[in-house]
Amino acid sequence: MNFNFLQHFGRYILFMRTVFSRPEKLSMYYKETMRQMNDIGIGSLTIVVLISLSIGAVTAVQFAYQLGSSLVPRYYIGYVVRDITIIELAPMLTCLVLAGKVGSNMAAEIGGMRQKEHIDAMEIMGVNTAAYLILPKIIAALFVIPMLVSISAFVGILGGYLSSVPTGLMTGEEYILGIRSFFDPYNIFMMFVKGTVFAFVLTTVSCYQGYFVKGGSIELGQASTRAVVYSDILILLFDYLIAVVLTM
Amino acid sequence: MIRIENIRKSFDEVEVLKGISTTFHKGKTNLIIGRSGAGKTVLLKLLVGLLTPTSGNIWYGDVNFCNLSKEEVRAIRMEVGMLFQGSALFDSMTVEENIRFPLDMFTNRTAKEKLDRVNYCLDRVALNGSNDKYPSEVSGGMQKRVGIARSIVLEPKYLFCDEPNSGLDPKTSIVIDELIRSITVEHQITTVINTHDMNSVMEIGDNIALLYNGELAWEGNKNEVFESDNDLLQDFIFASPFLKRLRNAAVKNGSI
């Protein structure tokens, strides 16, 4: 088991070295990066918005319930929704969802190309397949996923407003006051650090799983599942590590 | 010309190739034949560098392919074209985009120059006007021809074909064989074909290497096949009772 982990880790590092080598032709990589940005960004927008809206709404309602009739001012609901969404829920939940949607898609796409000998065909043409197939995905993810995370944070805060103001939990002024109180821009920095690190993790882990797939359709399914599970575990682990490092 | 010297390949404890040495000649169709599991595909993958030999050398002209860095291997591969058993066409690209892919990736030609070259290759494989079709919209034989067009678009010095006739009817197989042969002669390419199609052996076998159980069992050309008294070769070529009867009849008539 330990040997297996070390073997995979070593191969992952060597794989990354190949991925980050000099591109054969920048224009081809640029085209592929744009396509990936569209797939990851536009293709994931709906699910990210829906989940974020729900997160914000539920956080606001639950926190209002926790406050009950205590003496804590109601505007704290806005403040808590804002901070918990920006610091934690937007980056983590968005990336967990994207690991399921985008990560499994990447593993299946690259694994399918491996099985249909597309990767071998490109290799024989002289293409650095690790770089051509994966680097555009990583670059696209590093640009687009932090953007999705920031959209998620915004929509989450909006969700909190929609669930608490029209339902009479608090007034609009209170909520606005809450989201403007005790604001620390450093939290935004933390959100982007998390979004960027998680984007790198979910893309590279998923592509690694797809690139080295062997066997048939069952193995491809297993690789796709591993891509999601390992990405999720690593996202949770890095979430904790970033929280510790950036709040020390 | 490609020369292989004492090539061995093992997977874990199993030795698949047991010291094969032979030469594949320029301007000729060099066939690797043998039963399933004889090591043909492994040998082809070693030749193109998709696998690394356990020991031995592969010479592309004067260059030892086994001692090259990854970058140098990629440079050699620019001179290599390969037709895969399943064609390996990119599903999301049209026929034109598939053929143009190596040009887009490795050349700085203008769009018109690329289109001209693509159209020339399509014309060469008799698929004019199929530019905008997707691989799923053309037949198996046409897919093979698109594969050939893609493999010759960069004017390779070496062409490798992995079972080019598998899954094709005999008529289409002959068309593909003739196409490969004419391209080989016209451009003086070193072509290596991995096949167990007997029509191919008898039609385009300029140089034939028979593999048996990971060893080179026989070498010769299509004219020497009938004259050979190599049992493994005769068993392989005339495997079916029908072909055996045909051969016996031909021997009786004195035709061979």
Side-chain angles (χ1 to χ4, degrees):
Chain A
M1 182 68 184
N2 287 337
F3 172 72
N4 216 9
F5 167 74
L6 287 175
Q7 191 189 15
H8 279 292
F9 184 68
R11 193 162 68 165
Y12 172 83
I13 297 294
L14 291 174
F15 178 59
M16 283 300 109
R17 224 180 86 182
T18 319
V19 167
F20 288 100
S21 51
R22 197 165 59 89
E24 291 91 352
K25 202 168 182 192
L26 279 175
S27 60
M28 291 292 279
Y29 281 63
Y30 174 77
K31 252 192 260 177
E32 187 59 18
T33 305
M34 290 297 122
R35 191 177 74 83
Q36 292 297 333
M37 280 185 175
N38 182 60
D39 285 358
I40 299 171
I42 307 297
S44 309
L45 200 55
T46 311
I47 186 78
V48 166
V49 166
L50 281 174
I51 287 174
S52 308
L53 209 56
S54 164
I55 291 167
V58 172
T59 308
V61 172
Q62 290 288 344
F63 190 61
Y65 169 73
Q66 294 292 323
L67 287 182
S69 55
S70 67
L71 294 175
V72 179
R74 304 299 286 176
Y75 75 86
Y76 263 56
I77 295 173
Y79 156 61
V80 167
V81 168
R82 182 201 69 205
D83 271 6
I84 204 165
T85 307
I86 290 175
I87 298 171
E88 183 59 25
L89 295 179
M92 191 186 72
L93 282 178
T94 302
C95 289
L96 288 178
V97 168
L98 289 178
K101 187 187 174 293
V102 177
S104 63
N105 191 316
M106 284 177 181
E109 180 188 323
I110 294 174
M113 292 184 78
R114 167 71 71 196
Q115 291 182 335
K116 289 182 184 172
E117 296 183 311
H118 292 174
I119 292 181
D120 286 348
M122 284 186 188
E123 280 285 338
I124 288 165
M125 285 175 200
V127 178
N128 176 354
T129 53
Y132 176 66
L133 295 174
I134 289 143
L135 190 57
K137 288 181 169 59
I138 296 175
I139 294 170
L142 291 178
F143 270 99
V144 170
I145 291 180
M147 282 186 209
L148 285 173
V149 168
S150 50
I151 290 170
S152 166
F154 175 77
V155 174
I157 294 167
L158 184 69
Y161 181 90
L162 292 176
S163 70
S164 54
V165 176
T167 54
L169 281 176
M170 60 195 298
T171 64
E173 288 74 22
E174 281 176 316
Y175 192 81
I176 300 294
L177 176 65
I179 60 174
R180 295 182 66 183
S181 301
F182 320 115
F183 178 67
D184 184 356
Y186 185 71
N187 292 345
I188 301 284
F189 169 72
M190 259 201 285
M191 177 184 80
F192 279 118
V193 168
K194 285 185 178 183
T196 309
V197 171
F198 297 166
F200 185 81
V201 166
L202 80 89
T203 317
T204 55
V205 169
S206 303
C207 290
Y208 171 83
Q209 290 296 335
Y211 193 81
F212 290 105
V213 75
K214 280 181 181 163
S217 51
I218 291 177
E219 285 78 6
L220 182 57
Q222 288 169 343
S224 194
T225 306
R226 274 199 307 274
V228 178
V229 172
Y230 293 166
S231 297
D232 282 353
I233 292 170
L234 286 170
I235 285 170
L236 295 173
L237 179 69
F238 275 100
D239 190 29
Y240 173 73
L241 292 176
I242 293 168
V244 170
V245 171
L246 294 186
T247 54
M248 271 199 310
Chain B
M1 186 185 76
I2 299 173
R3 189 160 49 86
I4 58 175
E5 279 175 356
N6 201 24
I7 285 288
R8 291 178 182 275
K9 179 65 184 173
S10 301
F11 294 99
D12 297 326
E13 300 298 304
V14 183
E15 193 172 36
V16 178
L17 294 179
K18 301 166 184 170
I20 293 178
S21 301
T22 188
T23 302
F24 302 113
H25 302 280
K26 187 180 172 185
K28 292 193 171 173
T29 43
N30 303 274
L31 270 55
I32 303 169
I33 61 171
R35 293 171 62 177
S36 301
K40 303 188 298 293
T41 302
V42 172
L43 180 56
L44 204 68
K45 285 188 173 176
L46 289 171
L47 286 172
V48 295
L50 289 177
L51 292 174
T52 315
T54 309
S55 66
N57 294 309
I58 299 169
W59 296 86
Y60 275 67
D62 297 328
V63 179
N64 189 345
F65 191 59
C66 301
N67 289 343
L68 301 178
S69 66
K70 272 190 175 177
E71 284 68 31
E72 288 169 323
V73 167
R74 286 204 186 101
I76 290 260
R77 280 176 173 167
M78 304 280 286
E79 301 178 342
V80 168
M82 181 154 180
L83 173 64
F84 282 83
Q85 192 174 350
S87 301
L89 300 177
F90 309 134
D91 310 315
S92 57
M93 296 183 190
T94 62
V95 164
E96 182 182 313
E97 288 165 344
N98 262 285
I99 300 171
R100 206 181 60 212
F101 182 83
L103 295 172
D104 286 338
M105 191 58 117
F106 298 113
T107 71
N108 290 317
R109 297 183 198 188
T110 63
K112 190 185 175 307
E113 285 169 340
K114 285 181 201 167
L115 183 62
D116 288 346
R117 179 67 190 158
V118 169
N119 284 337
Y120 167 79
C121 292
L122 278 173
D123 183 50
R124 193 69 195 73
V125 297
L127 278 177
N128 319 54
S130 302
N131 300 48
D132 297 329
K133 288 183 177 159
Y134 282 88
S136 58
E137 295 170 344
V138 299
S139 68
M142 287 165 84
Q143 285 183 12
K144 296 271 182 186
R145 282 190 275 162
V146 176
I148 293 173
R150 188 177 65 183
S151 62
I152 61 167
V153 74
L154 284 179
E155 298 170 68
K157 286 185 185 169
Y158 309 96
L159 179 63
F160 297 92
C161 307
D162 188 14
E163 306 205 8
N165 301 327
S166 71
L168 301 181
D169 65 88
K171 282 254 182 200
T172 312
S173 295
I174 291 167
V175 172
I176 298 290
D177 282 345
E178 279 308 314
L179 189 57
I180 293 171
R181 184 180 198 162
S182 61
I183 288 168
T184 301
V185 174
E186 190 181 316
H187 299 282
Q188 284 297 295
I189 299 171
T190 304
T191 299
V192 181
I193 304 170
N194 183 353
T195 186
H196 30 55
D197 184 277
M198 285 312 108
N199 284 329
S200 303
V201 173
M202 303 317 293
E203 291 298 323
I204 60 167
D206 294 336
N207 179 35
I208 304 167
L210 170 71
L211 295 193
Y212 182 79
N213 204 15
E215 291 177 20
L216 186 64
W218 181 83
E219 253 188 305
N221 61 46
K222 62 183 179 184
N223 300 320
E224 293 164 353
V225 166
F226 287 108
E227 294 159 13
S228 168
D229 54 2
N230 184 305
D231 292 339
L232 291 171
L233 178 71
Q234 297 304 325
D235 273 355
F236 179 72
I237 300 282
F238 304 103
S240 76
F242 172 70
L243 285 175
K244 274 185 183 135
R245 281 203 301 276
L246 269 183
R247 184 178 189 273
N248 292 340
V251 170
K252 221 174 187 177
N253 291 343
S255 331
I256 56 171

